[in-house]
Amino acid sequence: MTLEQLFERKYYFQIDSRKIKKNDVFVALKGENTDGHRYVEDAFKKGASFAVVEAGYPDNSEKIIKVPNVQEKLLSVSSKIVNQNAKMKIGITGSTGKTTTKVCLKNIIESNISTFATEKNYNTEIGIPISILNNYSNEEVAIIEMGIQKKGDMENLTKFFNLDVAFITNIGTSHLEFLKSKEGIAEEKSKIITALNGGLLVYNSDSIELQKFVKSYKNKISFGQKVNSDAYLIDYEYFEDTTKVHFKTFGKDGLLTLKSYWSKGQILDFLAAVTFSIFTKIPIDPFVISEIKLPESRFELIKNENNIIINDSYNASEESFFSAFESVEKIQATSKILIMSEIKEIGQDDKIVLNRVIEKAKEIFDEIYFYDKEDKYSFDDVIKIKEIKKIEKILNSSKGVILIKGSNSTGLYKFMQERG
């Protein structure tokens, strides 16, 4: 049995032996902290039908599928399936906004053409192939979210996928710890162009660091806030639990209404999808647009009797903080409260960045709380929270608008998930 045959027969691929169900295929991956080969027998005991392992594994039974390199084999097989069957392959990268752009694109395109998109935030060399093998059903359009963390990650992805369209949503400070500078991030992200072979590039013209890497590429369109972009955001406003967006694309004014409140950054992600759709003459249905649901915990609106909670706890960067702040500033409220935590993956300058964020926050918020269970930081006029359960008391007793934002790994996201 080959991986291609398992895909054709609709087997479900699983990389976590603890989640194995009857007839699943267990994929034994080697990671930094553990080796999936240690759990092959556990997977079989839980009902796995097959296991994909690397050459040298001692078991030679029919249930064992041996390959030279499991991770590369997953990428090779999954990319071949998409490359051969999808009429349009779209790749999305960027420091933030990849998932929101993907969601917007999928909603717009699938009302006209059968469309597949990698699920959730499965955007790594592991998540992408697993998502394809488990969910792709020969749709005409395939949208692939491509994340990176370190140098070489984008090259590793683009050598497998032949893209027709590539999006670069923005260049921010996410993964600055590993790529050293915003220019280094821009250089790595822009390598998605190597998978295009003359296809269409859709990029954020506001990202100054990106300009030098896309300048020589001919087939491109731009979006952002600059009036010389092919599409640019004019303004947006919140009205009765909706966001009204005014923009201009290719010289023509546009006005569309989105469900719930969207942050400025998310609106720009939406604009990227709209720009592409107008350029390629894919019809845009205002009703479809008005029903787009934002990914969970990204500027998620939770209305209570006494307050409005904006759950933006999925992740954070300096840029996404400022985007959220600017958006909250537009909301009419008697009081504005910020509950935040640190920003991960920005390296040794984390305190400098956090100071900039907090100084900006002081211009907008009446109260600022900083969740810091390790007691690493100290800021003037900021109330420190060491126990996460105290956040619940603030949410229950405070009135007005409460923004909750911080890096995923700090615990704010998990807290909001468990809170429901």
Side-chain angles (χ1 to χ4, degrees):
M1 190 74 76
T2 65
L3 264 68
E4 291 88 345
Q5 290 172 325
L6 292 173
F7 167 77
E8 290 168 3
R9 297 181 189 188
K10 304 296 182 184
Y11 278 90
Y12 192 86
F13 293 79
Q14 184 61 262
I15 61 174
D16 188 340
S17 63
R18 296 168 296 182
K19 297 179 180 179
I20 287 287
K21 295 179 181 177
K22 189 177 180 181
N23 295 327
D24 284 353
V25 176
F26 177 60
V27 181
L29 286 164
K30 290 182 177 179
E32 292 181 7
N33 302 315
T34 188
D35 184 347
H37 292 79
R38 294 167 51 191
Y39 306 102
V40 172
E41 289 305 314
D42 289 342
F44 282 131
K45 287 177 183 177
K46 290 184 177 179
S49 294
F50 297 94
V52 183
V53 302
E54 294 191 355
Y57 187 76
D59 191 338
N60 292 308
S61 71
E62 293 181 356
K63 291 184 175 183
I64 296 293
I65 301 169
K66 293 186 178 182
V67 297
N69 183 295
V70 173
Q71 186 173 300
E72 286 207 4
K73 187 65 175 177
L74 286 176
L75 274 167
S76 176
V77 171
S78 61
S79 60
K80 184 179 179 182
I81 290 167
V82 167
N83 289 337
Q84 291 182 344
N85 292 285
K87 294 178 181 178
M88 181 186 291
K89 286 85 63 182
I90 302 173
I92 303 173
T93 193
S95 294
T96 60
K98 296 181 291 296
T99 303
T100 301
T101 303
K102 177 181 66 180
V103 167
C104 293
L105 272 176
K106 187 174 188 295
N107 276 271
I108 293 171
I109 298 173
E110 71 180 355
S111 62
N112 301 278
I113 312 166
S114 62
T115 306
F116 160 84
T118 48
E119 61 183 310
K120 300 179 182 178
N121 65 328
Y122 289 10
N123 59 24
T124 66
E125 69 277 7
I126 297 170
I128 291 170
I130 290 295
S131 187
I132 291 170
L133 291 171
N134 285 338
N135 300 297
Y136 181 67
S137 298
N138 295 332
E139 288 87 354
E140 292 179 274
V141 177
I143 306 172
I144 303 161
E145 182 179 333
M146 296 178 164
I148 65 165
Q149 187 178 64
K150 61 185 185 303
K151 192 174 179 63
D153 283 353
M154 185 57 71
E155 287 177 293
N156 187 44
L157 290 174
T158 54
K159 70 182 181 183
F160 290 99
F161 292 95
N162 303 322
L163 300 178
D164 301 293
V165 185
F167 282 74
I168 306 178
T169 61
N170 55 52
I171 300 299
T173 52
S174 297
H175 307 306
L176 197 62
E177 181 179 2
F178 307 102
L179 292 165
K180 306 304 180 185
S181 67
K182 287 181 75 172
E183 184 170 283
I185 294 168
E187 182 178 11
E188 188 65 24
K189 297 282 186 186
S190 65
K191 288 176 182 175
I192 196 172
I193 296 171
T194 61
L196 275 176
N197 297 314
L200 178 67
L201 173 66
V202 185
Y203 74 99
N204 189 328
S205 58
D206 297 333
S207 297
I208 299 170
E209 297 82 6
L210 192 59
Q211 299 299 327
K212 64 179 286 188
F213 299 105
V214 304
K215 186 177 180 180
S216 61
Y217 193 78
K218 302 297 183 184
N219 189 17
K220 60 181 183 280
I221 56 175
S222 62
F223 69 94
Q225 298 177 81
K226 296 179 179 178
V227 295
N228 61 346
S229 304
D230 292 307
Y232 62 91
L233 177 64
I234 296 173
D235 199 6
Y236 64 100
E237 64 175 332
Y238 301 124
F239 180 73
E240 294 182 351
D241 295 347
T242 65
T243 304
K244 295 189 177 299
V245 183
H246 184 199
F247 57 92
K248 184 166 281 192
T249 52
F250 306 104
K252 294 183 179 181
D253 281 297
L255 181 64
L256 288 166
T257 301
L258 300 164
K259 179 186 286 187
S260 191
Y261 290 177
W262 290 46
S263 72
K264 182 179 178 182
Q266 291 166 330
I267 293 168
L268 288 169
D269 300 332
F270 164 72
L271 183 59
V274 169
T275 305
F276 165 77
S277 302
I278 291 173
F279 182 78
T280 54
K281 295 181 169 58
I282 295 173
I284 296 177
D285 185 337
F287 176 75
V288 170
I289 295 296
S290 68
E291 292 299 309
I292 295 175
K293 187 177 180 181
L294 282 168
E296 186 182 63
S297 302
R298 278 102 156 170
F299 215 75
E300 179 183 5
L301 192 69
I302 304 169
K303 296 194 86 170
N304 298 309
E305 187 176 341
N306 295 321
N307 58 36
I308 295 174
I309 298 171
I310 298 175
N311 177 15
D312 202 11
S313 62
Y314 180 77
N315 227 327
S317 66
E318 182 177 9
E319 296 80 12
S320 67
F321 261 108
F322 290 155
S323 170
F325 292 172
E326 185 173 337
S327 303
V328 169
E329 198 168 15
K330 282 179 171 279
I331 300 172
Q332 298 297 317
T334 54
S335 177
K336 295 179 181 179
I337 297 168
L338 172 64
I339 301 173
M340 65 176 290
S341 61
E342 66 179 303
I343 307 170
K344 299 286 189 179
E345 298 180 345
I346 53 175
Q348 295 179 346
D349 293 334
D350 58 339
K351 290 182 180 179
I352 297 172
V353 172
L354 283 170
N355 269 310
R356 286 201 296 263
V357 169
I358 287 170
E359 286 307 306
K360 183 63 179 178
K362 288 176 181 178
E363 299 174 11
I364 300 162
F365 295 92
D366 301 292
E367 296 176 27
I368 301 172
Y369 295 89
F370 191 94
Y371 173 57
D372 182 14
K373 64 179 179 181
E374 296 177 6
D375 201 15
K376 292 167 59 177
Y377 303 96
S378 178
F379 305 102
D380 293 336
D381 303 317
V382 172
I383 304 167
K384 184 180 289 189
I385 305 171
K386 295 181 184 178
E387 297 177 17
I388 201 161
K389 62 183 180 181
K390 290 186 178 180
I391 294 175
E392 187 64 43
K393 293 180 181 179
I394 299 168
L395 298 180
N396 291 334
S397 62
S398 302
K399 294 182 179 181
V401 172
I402 306 170
L403 173 65
I404 301 177
K405 188 166 183 63
S407 287
N408 191 316
S409 59
T410 63
L412 282 183
Y413 173 72
K414 184 181 178 182
F415 167 76
M416 291 302 294
Q417 287 287 100
E418 292 175 348
R419 186 176 186 269

